[in-house]
Amino acid sequence: MAKTLIVGEIQKGALRESTLELVTAARKLGGEVVSLVIGSGVGAQAEDLAKKGGGKVLLADDASLANYNLDGWTRAIKRAVDAEKPDLVLISNTPIGWDIAGALAAQLDCAVASDVIRLETEGADLVCTRRMFNAKFDARVRLSGTPRVVTMQPGASEAYAGSDAGSVAKLDGVGGQNRTQFVEIRVAPAGGHDLTKAEIIVSGGRGLQKPENFEAVLKPLVEALGAQMGASRPVVDAGWLPHEYQVGSSGQIVSPKLYVAVGISGAIQHLVGMKNSNFIIAINKDADAPIFEVADVGIVGDLFEVVPALVNAVKTAKGG
Ligand SMILES: Cc1cc2nc3c(=O)[nH]c(=O)nc-3n(C[C@H](O)[C@H](O)[C@H](O)COP(=O)(O)OP(=O)(O)OC[C@H]3O[C@@H](n4cnc5c(N)ncnc54)[C@H](O)[C@@H]3O)c2cc1C
């Protein structure tokens, strides 16, 4: 890839981890890496990205870009594409990335792939691997022509840890009228279930089959281990547990001493939320479930037999 343009994202005043993961992915492809930081008063974040492997960082700084806005962001990215003529535009697969990728590709009249976990070049083509249907299979998508727009799953690469000195250059002509206006951000009230501070988490997934089994099967293990209960997203989407129980890219990012995943397949969106746990135990009846790729101990079996046996073993070990 001769040139890749990374679209950076800022969250709570700092570069998102996923932006530094894009740096790793772009550098693996080879060629020149340029980046774009969009916002108002975001010079410090652009400097930061330049120090963290972002190469030449274009700074699109304007009052009209103060909060995320599809019009403003596509305007800024198109300016950067016109100026730099990249072969590839890399965006994180975040809510901003989902919103912008399709619209941007339509405006650039180019190919787009979302949810990508791996990038390779084959001749002049870019081949993207997309994990699909709850990680049941991977699809390989070949993108031809330039530029291409790709959104990468958070967690698909490590965050770039080098400290190469890049530069920052102001990008002109990025201001303008947005057809939609930012109104406000509403933060959900904090619940009492803070998984980020838990030392032990026992999480249940769709494998538990029904909400009553969280009480009847999972809770005894939670109590025996002195843990907090977590869950995968389908469990929360189904209303079996509140959102503050959800672990993953659109839930909580946790790093307990012990994480027990029960009946969870290990989709990348779940893994990104718990893979930094110190020790991981996975219980799943499917020996090929991706959760076993990150597990320190994997138990292949029926959770309705394994979990009660584990509860007894923990109680016995604790002398109860
Ligand atoms: C934009 C986006 C954001 C997302 N964010 C998140 C997120 O934050 N967190 C999250 O978790 N997911 C998230 N997802 C969803 C994610 O892609 C998966 O769909 C989800 O993680 C799957 O949940 P699961 O493992 O519980 O269910 P499934 O994938 O259905 O897996 C159930 C597992 O249970 C096992 N099982 C079934 N019965 C038994 C049994 N009796 N004994 C043992 N094992 C059994 C099966 O073998 C299977 O592996 C997101 C998806 C998208 C598109």
Side-chain angles (χ1 to χ4, degrees):
M1 209 50 32
K3 193 187 268 193
T4 300
L5 171 70
I6 292 168
V7 178
E9 268 187 58
I10 295 167
Q11 195 178 36
K12 293 183 186 158
L15 289 171
R16 268 189 100 124
E17 176 96 345
S18 62
T19 296
L20 301 177
E21 294 168 8
L22 295 184
V23 172
T24 305
R27 284 174 167 260
K28 259 194 204 149
L29 287 173
E32 190 184 348
V33 175
V34 291
S35 303
L36 175 64
V37 168
I38 304 171
S40 177
V42 289
Q45 290 86 343
E47 294 286 348
D48 194 26
L49 185 51
K51 283 186 208 137
K52 290 178 174 165
K56 179 166 95 178
V57 180
L58 304 172
L59 174 61
D61 201 304
D62 189 84
S64 65
L65 303 171
N67 291 291
Y68 171 72
N69 181 293
L70 181 61
D71 275 350
W73 274 54
T74 43
R75 188 168 62 237
I77 300 171
K78 276 188 71 190
R79 276 286 298 141
V81 169
D82 288 346
E84 293 294 329
K85 311 250 175 312
D87 303 275
L88 168 66
V89 180
L90 263 190
I91 306 174
S92 299
N93 203 63
T94 55
I96 286 181
W98 312 327
D99 195 38
I100 209 161
L104 179 70
Q107 291 193 27
L108 295 173
D109 192 20
C110 71
V112 59
S114 60
D115 291 293
V116 171
I117 57 161
R118 195 165 49 248
L119 292 170
E120 296 149 282
T121 47
E122 277 184 13
D125 289 345
L126 180 72
V127 179
C128 306
T129 304
R130 308 179 64 211
R131 189 146 283 178
M132 302 181 75
F133 294 101
N134 295 338
K136 298 282 185 301
F137 69 85
D138 290 345
R140 297 183 82 228
V141 184
R142 185 181 298 272
L143 304 187
S144 314
T146 57
R148 303 109 166 149
V149 174
V150 165
T151 68
M152 290 284 295
Q153 275 291 351
S157 303
E158 296 293 324
Y160 188 69
S163 53
D164 319 47
S167 60
V168 176
K170 189 131 191 330
L171 189 64
D172 293 323
V174 294
Q177 198 65 34
N178 300 327
R179 286 169 297 179
T180 51
Q181 297 301 324
F182 169 80
V183 178
E184 64 173 323
I185 292 174
R186 284 197 193 165
V187 180
H193 196 76
D194 186 2
L195 288 177
T196 60
K197 300 204 170 60
E199 296 210 330
I200 305 176
I201 297 173
V202 176
S203 281
R206 194 147 42 188
L208 274 115
Q209 294 174 3
K210 52 184 180 180
E212 296 78 27
N213 287 335
F214 281 79
E215 193 68 21
V217 181
L218 206 65
K219 198 166 173 197
L221 184 57
V222 170
E223 288 178 346
L225 288 171
Q228 292 220 47
M229 190 186 284
S232 66
R233 178 165 164 171
V235 168
V236 171
D237 285 350
W240 298 355
L241 287 172
H243 184 256
E244 61 217 56
Y245 284 66
Q246 184 180 318
V247 173
S249 61
S250 50
Q252 308 229 36
I253 308 290
V254 300
S255 49
K257 287 185 183 158
L258 173 63
Y259 188 89
V260 187
V262 181
I264 292 178
S265 58
I268 189 160
Q269 296 92 350
H270 189 82
L271 297 187
V272 76
M274 45 63 77
K275 66 177 182 173
N276 289 331
S277 304
N278 202 35
F279 198 86
I280 298 170
I281 300 175
I283 303 166
N284 198 301
K285 66 179 182 184
D286 176 5
D288 294 326
I291 192 75
F292 290 128
E293 289 167 20
V294 299
D296 297 288
V297 170
I299 304 172
V300 180
D302 185 342
L303 71 89
F304 295 102
E305 292 168 15
V306 174
V307 172
L310 211 51
V311 171
N312 284 337
V314 172
K315 283 185 180 163
T316 306
K318 283 186 168 176

